[in-house]
Amino acid sequence: MKLSWNKKSTSSKRSFSAVSKYPNLPFDKQDDPPGKDQEDAGVSGNQERPASKALALDEDGPPSSPDHQQLARSFQSQGDKLAEDGKYREALGKWETALTLMPENAVLHEQKAQVLLEIGDTWGALKAAIRATDLDPSWAEAWITLGRAQLNFGEPDSAIASFDSALSLKPNCDEAQDDRRTAVHLVKKRKQLHLSGMSTAKSRFVVGDKE
C-alpha cells in the first residue's frame, strides 16, 4: 500500500495517514481481517502532539540546542519526503540521523516503526513502537502501531492489550476497534487449532502439506 505523508514539517504532527497492515499474520493467512477494507485501513494522520513531546532531551544532559533541533527537523522532513516517494530505507536513514539529535522524539520512533512494518522488519518495528509508547504513553496512535507490530510478530494477546490502551485514550477510535477485533479473531483461531490437536507452529504449514 502506498504510504501517504503529511507535507507539514512540524514534528509535533504524526505524519502517516496509511500503512499496510498485517502482512504476516499467524494462523489466518487466507482470512480477511474484519472491519474496514485494508485499502482504507491505517492510522490517520494529523494527530496533534504537545510540542514538548516533539523536542528531544539528552538522557544525561541538557535539552538539545535550537540548532540541533532545527537540523533534526530538517532530516525528519527529508525522511518524510523520501517515504512519500516510497523510498523507505532512505527515509529510515534520515530518521535515524534525526534520532541521534532528538533521541526522545516519540513521533520519529513511531514513524520508524510504521516503515519497518512496511518493509517487513517486524522485530525492528516492535522495538521502535515500544520506544514510542515508553516516551509518550498518552499517545493513542503509538499504541495502535505497537499493537500492529505485535500482531505481525505473532503476539495477538499483547496486541489486544495495546489496542485497549489506545481505546482507553481514544474510546471512539475506529482503527483501534477494528484492529482489536482482528487480534481477538486470531486468538480465537489459535484456540480452535489447539482444540483440534494441532500446534500453532504446525498450523502454518498444514495447507498443501503432503504425507
Side-chain angles (χ1 to χ4, degrees):
M1 180 186 296
K2 175 70 174 178
L3 290 177
S4 177
W5 297 81
N6 185 353
K7 297 293 186 179
K8 295 180 181 180
S9 61
T10 306
S11 61
S12 61
K13 302 280 189 176
R14 187 166 186 263
S15 299
F16 282 87
S17 64
V19 66
S20 296
K21 298 199 301 181
Y22 328 130
N24 298 302
L25 285 178
F27 322 125
D28 203 11
K29 290 288 188 179
Q30 296 180 352
D31 293 342
D32 291 331
K36 297 182 180 178
D37 186 89
Q38 283 195 352
E39 290 298 322
D40 296 327
V43 180
S44 59
N46 297 335
Q47 301 294 331
E48 295 287 347
R49 305 302 308 132
S52 61
K53 295 295 184 182
L55 300 180
L57 301 177
D58 294 332
E59 293 188 3
D60 297 316
S64 301
S65 70
D67 287 344
H68 282 180
Q69 293 171 12
Q70 183 176 0
L71 182 60
R73 292 191 181 105
S74 175
F75 281 117
Q76 181 178 9
S77 179
Q78 293 172 41
D80 291 353
K81 181 61 171 65
L82 287 165
E84 180 181 318
D85 294 338
K87 300 177 180 178
Y88 304 132
R89 295 188 184 279
E90 291 90 335
L92 284 172
K94 296 295 183 180
W95 290 338
E96 291 287 5
T97 302
L99 282 168
T100 64
L101 299 169
M102 296 197 303
E104 295 188 9
N105 186 311
V107 174
L108 279 167
H109 286 286
E110 193 274 342
Q111 290 181 174
K112 177 181 172 182
Q114 289 204 50
V115 163
L116 288 170
L117 280 176
E118 185 72 20
I119 65 177
D121 184 356
T122 306
W123 174 240
L126 186 61
K127 292 189 293 183
I130 289 172
R131 182 61 174 151
T133 57
D134 285 345
L135 289 168
D136 192 352
S138 65
W139 187 16
E141 283 73 17
W143 286 107
I144 293 173
T145 300
L146 175 57
R148 290 174 175 173
Q150 289 165 329
L151 275 180
N152 278 281
F153 199 64
E155 297 181 348
D157 299 282
S158 297
I160 290 171
S162 293
F163 295 136
D164 284 343
S165 293
L167 288 168
S168 70
L169 297 165
K170 292 182 66 174
N172 297 321
C173 179
D174 291 337
E175 291 158 340
Q177 291 171 356
D178 289 344
D179 292 342
R180 189 185 189 282
R181 281 192 288 269
T182 298
V184 170
H185 175 75
L186 288 174
V187 170
K188 290 179 179 178
K189 189 83 169 182
R190 183 181 61 191
K191 289 180 180 178
Q192 290 172 358
L193 293 173
H194 279 303
L195 290 173
S196 67
M198 295 185 296
S199 70
T200 55
K202 181 175 176 55
S203 69
R204 295 170 183 253
F205 307 97
V206 167
V207 177
D209 281 356
K210 294 182 179 180
E211 294 294 338

